Amino acid sequence: MLEIENIIFPANLGEALATVRGIPGSVVLGGCGYLRLGSRKIRTAIDLARLGLDKIVETADTVEIGAMVTLRDVETDALTVGLAGGVLAKSVENIVGVQLRKCVTLGGSVAGRYPFSDPITALMAVDAELLFHGRGVISLQDYLEGKWGRDILVKIIVPKRQWIAAFTSVRKSVTDYAVLNCAVSKSGQDYRVVVGSRPSRALRVTTAENFLRENGLTKKSAVRAGELAAESLQFGDNPRGSGEYRKKICPVLVKRALLEVLDAA
Ligand SMILES: Cc1cc2nc3c(=O)[nH]c(=O)nc-3n(C[C@H](O)[C@H](O)[C@H](O)COP(=O)(O)OP(=O)(O)OC[C@H]3O[C@@H](n4cnc5c(N)ncnc54)[C@H](O)[C@@H]3O)c2cc1C
């Protein structure tokens, strides 16, 4: 069971940051979906619910999603549904059920860096950036790769390029964690191929991306890009599937996603 001794509602982001950096062991709360799975005692919890981080906003060059926006809003809001063919919205639609998606947040999904995450895979395919109150803007990829100090994630920023994108996953049952997930995108002759839940974290497959840039996207090149992804990545075992199985389904998922993009292009 999750026990919280003291809960703080900071009045602004500065106060939230000072608290998370100043009080050892303090924990930022998103929707608490993942935090409450474990049995732990939190001395000081920092609830960001009153900071107005639950908005999705469009600017001239970006769509910006507040850290406290729920996955249900990501799934249904016109701005995210219209963003890059709805790749982010589609990536969350199989996560458990509407009730959970109405509670858990995109910020919690990203800040937690969960290797099984579906939205992280989708966000990597559209070059998402993150605004932290302390360290400023960094790319999602840098965040996943680096070691960062304690901070408050404020929003997820998606640049508005002419992305055509698609998300695919294999799950043992519709609402289970993905055995493997994949997101691809095309913007002009620029491609992203991302595979996650391997079961380790999502990675871009630059061999496949370069191949597509050099050869263009066709039915044939989609097949080869899938093979390159399977050859380039490492896959491991977990209770949802073996590394060997993941390696076998990887080309199929990548190809399916690329063919979706080809159809939409
Ligand atoms: C039963 C179950 C099944 C799930 N299945 C899937 C699935 O199939 N695919 C998938 O992608 N996800 C899945 N999830 C994960 C879920 O989608 C959320 O990603 C997860 O619950 C975290 O979101 P949250 O808002 O609840 O964050 P919390 O649990 O509140 O927080 C998660 C972590 O992020 C930190 N944090 C939260 N917000 C911030 C912030 N603004 N700044 C800094 N740090 C912050 C917290 O301190 C904590 O370490 C599942 C979750 C559950 C409970």
Side-chain angles (χ1 to χ4, degrees):
M1 195 174 80
L2 174 68
E3 268 184 81
I4 296 177
E5 233 170 57
N6 178 30
I7 188 158
I8 293 175
F9 291 88
N12 53 56
L13 285 164
E15 194 182 318
L17 184 62
T19 310
V20 78
R21 289 193 174 164
I23 302 184
S26 56
V27 174
V28 179
L29 306 182
C32 248
Y34 221 70
L35 279 172
R36 66 186 300 171
L37 283 185
S39 171
R40 67 188 279 198
K41 191 169 186 168
I42 296 176
R43 279 266 176 80
T44 306
I46 306 165
D47 194 324
L48 308 178
R50 298 180 187 168
L51 298 181
L53 303 182
D54 56 350
K55 314 256 180 321
I56 304 178
V57 176
E58 186 173 26
T59 72
D61 308 319
T62 60
V63 171
E64 304 188 350
I65 307 164
M68 292 296 281
V69 168
T70 67
L71 295 191
R72 181 63 177 162
D73 284 340
V74 167
E75 183 187 356
T76 55
D77 190 280
L79 280 177
T80 36
V81 169
L83 183 67
V87 66
L88 179 60
K90 283 179 193 155
S91 76
V92 301
E93 68 188 16
N94 287 321
I95 298 177
V96 186
V98 170
Q99 276 174 314
L100 184 95
R101 297 200 295 278
K102 277 182 98 75
C103 300
V104 299
T105 63
L106 189 62
S109 305
V110 170
R113 301 203 259 203
Y114 304 112
F116 56 76
S117 172
D118 298 302
I120 284 181
T121 299
L123 285 166
M124 280 183 65
V126 290
D127 290 357
E129 296 183 314
L130 310 177
L131 173 66
F132 285 89
H133 190 62
R135 68 181 73 109
V137 176
I138 60 169
S139 72
L140 171 59
Q141 183 154 342
D142 285 350
Y143 176 65
L144 295 177
E145 283 170 5
K147 278 199 172 163
W148 305 91
R150 291 156 70 75
D151 210 332
I152 303 288
L153 176 61
V154 179
K155 58 187 167 187
I156 295 97
I157 303 168
V158 180
K160 278 202 289 190
R161 291 172 61 184
Q162 294 300 311
W163 298 111
I164 306 169
F167 177 86
T168 51
S169 67
V170 165
R171 307 171 116 83
K172 282 186 160 174
S173 67
V174 177
T175 58
D176 197 5
Y177 294 96
V179 177
L180 198 72
N181 63 30
C182 165
V184 303
S185 68
K186 167 177 165 50
S187 172
Q189 285 316 304
D190 204 12
Y191 294 86
R192 301 285 178 272
V193 175
V194 185
V195 179
S197 202
R198 299 173 297 114
S200 43
R201 73 176 172 81
L203 282 180
R204 273 179 59 183
V205 193
T206 48
T207 47
E209 292 175 359
N210 294 339
F211 174 79
L212 290 165
R213 193 172 303 117
E214 283 157 22
N215 295 278
L217 177 56
T218 61
K219 284 185 180 167
K220 199 172 160 201
S221 69
V223 173
R224 182 62 193 136
E227 290 167 356
L228 283 169
E231 287 162 20
S232 310
L233 292 170
Q234 291 194 324
F235 303 91
D237 304 339
N238 76 354
R240 282 179 183 75
S242 66
E244 197 184 342
Y245 177 61
R246 287 184 161 95
K247 198 175 174 71
K248 285 236 160 71
I249 61 174
C250 176
V252 182
L253 277 194
V254 172
K255 181 192 75 178
R256 269 187 206 157
L258 284 169
L259 292 182
E260 226 181 278
V261 166
L262 183 62
D263 271 355

